Amino acid sequence: MTDSELPAPPHMTPDEFRRLGRELVDWVADYMERVEELPVRSRSQPGDTRAMLPAAPPEHGEPWDDILADLDRVVLPGITHWQSPNFYAYFPASSSGASVLGELVAAGLGVQGMLWSTSPACTELETHMLDWMAGMLDLPAAFRSDGAGGGVIQDSASSAVLCALVAAREAATGSGPLVAYTSDQGHSSIEKAARITGVELRLISVGEDSAMRPEALEEAILEDLAAGRRPVFCAATVGTTSTTAIDPVAAIGEICRRHGLWLHVDAAFAGVAAVCPELRFVNDGLELASSVSTNPHKWLLVNFDCGLFWVRDRAALIQALSVLPEYLRNAATESGAVIDYRDWQVPLGRRFRALKLWFVIRHYGVEGLRAHIRRSIALAQRFAARVSADPRFELAAPAPLSLVCFRLREGGDEANQRLLDAVNESGRAFLTHARLGDRLTLRLAVGHPSTEARHVDETADLLLALATDVAKEPLQR
Amino acid sequence: MTDSELPAPPHMTPDEFRRLGRELVDWVADYMERVEELPVRSRSQPGDTRAMLPAAPPEHGEPWDDILADLDRVVLPGITHWQSPNFYAYFPASSSGASVLGELVAAGLGVQGMLWSTSPACTELETHMLDWMAGMLDLPAAFRSDGAGGGVIQDSASSAVLCALVAAREAATGSGPLVAYTSDQGHSSIEKAARITGVELRLISVGEDSAMRPEALEEAILEDLAAGRRPVFCAATVGTTSTTAIDPVAAIGEICRRHGLWLHVDAAFAGVAAVCPELRFVNDGLELASSVSTNPHKWLLVNFDCGLFWVRDRAALIQALSVLPEYLRNAATESGAVIDYRDWQVPLGRRFRALKLWFVIRHYGVEGLRAHIRRSIALAQRFAARVSADPRFELAAPAPLSLVCFRLREGGDEANQRLLDAVNESGRAFLTHARLGDRLTLRLAVGHPSTEARHVDETADLLLALATDVAKEPLQR
């Protein structure tokens, strides 16, 4: 059959897109309006969503009314509402209207930014945004693209630490098994990166403050050196997942410099706090770091994914990750005058993620972003004050930013687990937990733009009331 | 300062989002309407985009009119229009209205699908879509989630091959250095994955047809075994980047089975062709594969990123990639009744990518998707007929799908490079190249939904006219 005899696929015309786009924008706006009323953690049971889906795909296209209706019928009941003002679990994924609009435009343009030449604006806007962000966060000048360094947007801090480790390994000399280090409070992605690269990982012990003990790090390095192994990489954490503890990066950096290790600073959650001058303690020691990452998709109002990753020596990263097949050769690359971001990440393809970051920075302005960070911290402190004023509760760790760790003093893990389950089952708030000193601890992280004082107050009220219920039930043990 | 005394950040209200969302939807619809008129490859020079951007970010939020105006002023000139009907470079990134709407809703919901419990619908819809797709492509039943296998959406086939290699390495027994294999026409991501994991990679030679020579593979494996190395992994390619050549997967699979290698089939571009029963030759041998990947974001109307990755034994993948820190523990995970997709990929976080795939399948229906694939192939054949009817041109490789490789018979690489430069500089079409038998070859890949017969005809006309110009200029050598 020739092409003219073939049935035409039902591609959407621009006018159909215009009409349906408005409907979907309205659906999202409606969602923003009603998300507060929905149970924060989904009440779906395993298999519930699939049970509502037909076993086979439709042979012929379906009407959009049906698709839209299924967003409410099939999808929403299975959503845990990360964009609810009462979502306090993990770390926030604080999206914003400006960011969603950036994602829409990026999808509409549909460019691949693997090479500069495959869309120069995609690469240059990204480099520029990373330089803007380096300035906004007051990072050492070495991370900016006008010297030997530079930044890139990746999907996550997980991928960033993997790339940093690969670059560190590539730069290593000598022989003997390679060793990497992080604290036992380091993120699971560091262990995953070590496993993927086949590099041995040592978990260094932390002090009372959940921060890495530099003397324990140096001891481990010396031991490995004595045994003929090659220490090559250390990931320090600024803002651990459990408590936002902050490793002593300066002291760690001195040790890494002394022994020639690549120091990566994983500031996935906390790093963006440095938009506020008074919070720049999160940058302490960065002048000794080889690379650093932080995720605007956690606390800076950019929807996932938008992980920023800067390196001091971009040549080391590119050397480690560059593979140049014939079909990607082009004049711009060969001129050496451009950045090809495919050499800064694991995958070849890449979306135009800089757009949403640009939209967010321009919509908010730096002062607007500072206001968001400051407000989250103030709300977290407000919550901490409420909870710690109740003699049944204790704060379980310092709260330097917007994460509060707390627990019931009495009843041990069982009582705390019951309390956590009760608040999450209520649907009125969603919190997660950590283990601190082997004790179950509740975590409340503030960061969503729609979270206001009334939300944290109501969550505190709820927790105090549920604690009374928990105390009434006999414990199992 | 308490939170009530702090300045409020300028968060967008749902109604502002409604209004601006319509403006941005209109901008995207306008873009769809006018993209055909824009020069396909950007004429931007290095630094042009950055020169239009202010050195520092704004202190205060800017009006949206300015941001929208900058989309036209700053961004568009630096865009290479992957969504133009005249984009024939690399492989297509054929987005569609339905997919862009899915991306919009996913961004609006803003959920993290790292665990089943962090949004059950995100995980279950994804598993279901992978089962739908396995059925639509007629993959062996072993890849479906109702047995020991299953599928996942990743960002790209690059990440899929990395995960497959890590799983293969994890499953390896014995000692001695590990070795992986692919053909010298395999994708660069395979080399990148080998480098990241530190596994040695052997490039196996291909025949005249650009397909891997199975006997050369077995020879290499035997040599490595004899030298005490451990062959663990082979990536076969269905649809190479240069010519869409297809490795003899069945023969390769027998060899892999004999020697205990994990066989990954990289069908990034070509795999989706199997929605059409008459094209299921792309599945030959899959019954022997351990894993397979294909990207709906290339040829199946889903905007990047949407890479599908199926494994026969999900336990092997999870075993390789699972790291379970305390804060991710939850009742659903511990019940064993759910999938946690964080264990199926490199990063921890993940977007709700199944939504756009669901939207596309439902909007088009399977017949609509088949129509798109068939139409692309017919248009490519139409172009091939036009070019090969001109005695100055030759087809440089078979065109089993929608990629045509062709070149000028006379004038060697220089003439072909001039022709390629001339067509790309015209702005009326964008093509890329390959080297076949060490000769520069032009590639024309069809797959965008808006590409019609008139576009490929005009591109053929343009090429034939430019060939006349090229022939008139004296060659340099």
Side-chain angles (χ1 to χ4, degrees), chain A residues 186-269:
Chain A
H187 192 258
S188 56
S189 60
I190 302 165
E191 186 176 338
K192 204 168 189 175
R195 204 187 289 179
I196 289 169
T197 54
V199 172
E200 204 171 333
L201 180 69
R202 302 230 184 294
L203 297 182
I204 305 300
S205 62
V206 297
E208 284 287 305
D209 55 358
S210 292
M212 190 193 288
R213 294 173 51 239
E215 62 280 12
L217 170 67
E218 186 149 38
E219 211 171 282
I221 291 174
L222 291 172
E223 210 169 284
D224 281 320
L225 285 171
R229 291 182 285 260
R230 282 182 296 163
V232 286
F233 180 82
C234 177
T237 308
V238 171
T240 60
T241 306
S242 292
T243 64
T244 60
I246 296 176
D247 284 347
V249 176
I252 292 168
E254 289 296 347
I255 295 166
C256 288
R257 181 152 71 175
R258 204 146 56 227
H259 299 289
L261 278 71
W262 179 296
L263 172 61
H264 175 71
V265 175
D266 176 2
F269 171 68

Side-chain angles (χ1 to χ4, degrees), chain A residues 3 6 9-12 14 17-18 22 24 26 28-31 33 44-47 49-50 53-62 64 67 70 75 78 80 82-83 90 98 101 105 107 109-112 116-121 124 127-128 131-132 136 145 155-156 158 169 187 191-192 195-197 241 303-304 319-323 326-327 329 338 342 345-351 358-359 362-367 370 372 374-375 378 382 433 435 449 453, chain B residues 3 6 9-12 14 17-18 22 24-26 28-31 33 44-47 49-50 53-62 64 67 70 75 78 80 82-83 90 98 101 105 107 109-110 112 116-121 124 127-128 131-132 136 145 155-156 158 169 187 191-192 195-197 241 303-304 319-323 326-327 329 338 342 345-351 359 362-367 370 372 374-375 378 382 433 435 449 453:
Chain A
D3 52 281
L6 286 170
H11 299 306
M12 203 179 278
F17 179 80
R18 224 178 278 278
R22 287 177 175 217
L24 271 299
D26 281 344
V28 171
D30 291 346
Y31 176 70
E33 279 168 351
S44 195
Q45 295 300 308
T49 304
R50 295 198 66 174
L53 295 165
E59 268 308 285
H60 300 283
E62 297 180 78
W64 274 88
I67 299 175
D70 279 354
V75 175
T80 290
W82 287 70
Q83 304 309 320
Y90 309 106
L101 297 178
V105 174
L109 288 172
V111 305
Q112 269 286 2
W116 178 88
S117 67
T118 59
S119 269
E124 295 199 12
T127 307
H128 207 76
D131 280 354
W132 271 13
M136 289 159 66
S145 70
D155 57 3
S156 64
S158 301
R169 185 181 60 185
H187 192 258
E191 186 176 338
K192 204 168 189 175
R195 204 187 289 179
I196 289 169
T197 54
T241 306
N303 68 300
F304 189 87
Q319 172 72 22
L321 290 173
S322 179
V323 180
E326 177 64 29
Y327 75 98
R329 288 188 186 277
V338 301
R342 69 184 183 90
Q345 62 174 24
V346 172
L348 173 61
R350 57 205 324 277
R351 304 196 333 283
W358 191 43
F359 277 19
R362 295 187 68 179
H363 171 75
Y364 281 93
V366 184
E367 270 305 327
R370 287 182 187 130
H372 172 63
R374 287 177 182 141
R375 206 137 183 281
R382 181 181 178 109
H433 73 284
R435 291 199 81 80
Chain B
D3 52 281
L6 286 170
H11 298 307
M12 204 180 278
F17 180 80
R18 224 179 277 278
R22 287 178 174 215
L24 271 300
V25 163
D26 281 345
V28 171
D30 291 347
Y31 175 70
E33 278 168 353
S44 195
Q45 295 300 307
T49 304
R50 294 199 66 174
L53 295 165
E59 268 308 286
H60 300 283
E62 297 181 78
W64 274 88
I67 299 175
D70 279 355
V75 175
T80 290
W82 287 71
Q83 304 309 319
Y90 309 105
L101 297 179
V105 174
L109 288 173
Q112 270 285 1
W116 178 89
S117 67
T118 60
S119 267
E124 294 198 13
T127 307
H128 207 77
D131 279 355
W132 270 14
M136 289 159 65
S145 69
D155 58 2
S156 65
S158 301
R169 185 182 59 185
H187 193 259
E191 187 176 336
K192 205 168 188 175
R195 204 187 289 178
I196 289 168
T197 54
T241 307
N303 69 299
F304 188 87
Q319 170 73 21
L321 290 172
S322 178
V323 179
E326 178 63 31
Y327 75 98
R329 287 187 187 278
V338 301
R342 70 186 181 90
Q345 61 175 24
V346 172
L348 172 61
R350 55 204 326 277
R351 305 200 327 286
F359 277 18
R362 295 187 68 178
H363 171 75
Y364 281 92
V366 185
E367 270 304 328
R370 286 182 186 129
H372 171 64
R374 286 176 182 141
R375 204 138 183 279
R382 182 181 177 111
H433 74 283
R435 291 199 81 81

Side-chain angles (χ1 to χ4, degrees), chain B residues 219-304:
Chain B
E219 213 169 280
I221 290 173
L222 291 172
E223 212 169 282
D224 281 319
L225 284 171
R229 292 181 284 259
R230 283 182 296 163
V232 286
F233 181 82
C234 177
T237 308
V238 171
T240 60
T241 307
S242 293
T243 65
T244 59
I246 295 175
D247 284 347
V249 175
I252 292 168
E254 288 297 347
I255 295 166
C256 289
R257 181 152 70 174
R258 207 147 52 230
H259 300 288
L261 278 72
W262 179 294
L263 172 61
H264 175 71
V265 174
D266 176 4
F269 172 68
V272 298
V275 289
C276 301
E278 72 275 20
L279 299 174
R280 294 209 171 132
F281 58 85
V282 299
N283 287 345
D284 283 355
L286 272 191
E287 62 283 0
L288 294 167
S290 311
S291 54
V292 56
S293 66
T294 189
N295 293 341
H297 66 235
K298 286 194 168 71
W299 197 10
L300 208 67
L301 303 162
V302 182
N303 69 299
F304 188 87

Side-chain angles (χ1 to χ4, degrees), chain B residues 35-41 80-89 423-424 426-432 444-446 448 450-460 462:
Chain B
V35 61
E36 179 169 353
E37 305 307 322
L38 302 173
V40 188
R41 192 182 67 178
T80 290
H81 299 286
W82 287 71
Q83 304 309 319
S84 165
N86 294 311
F87 184 98
Y88 306 106
V423 63
N424 290 343
S426 79
R428 291 163 58 194
F430 179 34
L431 283 71
T432 49
L444 180 135
V446 180
H448 195 269
S450 63
T451 304
E452 297 175 10
R454 66 182 171 92
H455 298 107
V456 297
D457 288 351
E458 283 167 20
T459 300
L462 175 66

Side-chain angles (χ1 to χ4, degrees), chain B residues 303-314:
Chain B
N303 69 299
F304 188 87
D305 46 2
C306 184
L308 309 186
F309 175 50
W310 287 272
V311 291
R312 182 177 292 273
D313 175 11
R314 62 176 178 264

Side-chain angles (χ1 to χ4, degrees), chain B residues 432-446:
Chain B
T432 49
H433 74 283
R435 291 199 81 81
L436 299 181
D438 206 30
R439 293 173 62 188
L440 188 79
T441 304
L442 279 65
R443 294 166 77 262
L444 180 135
V446 180

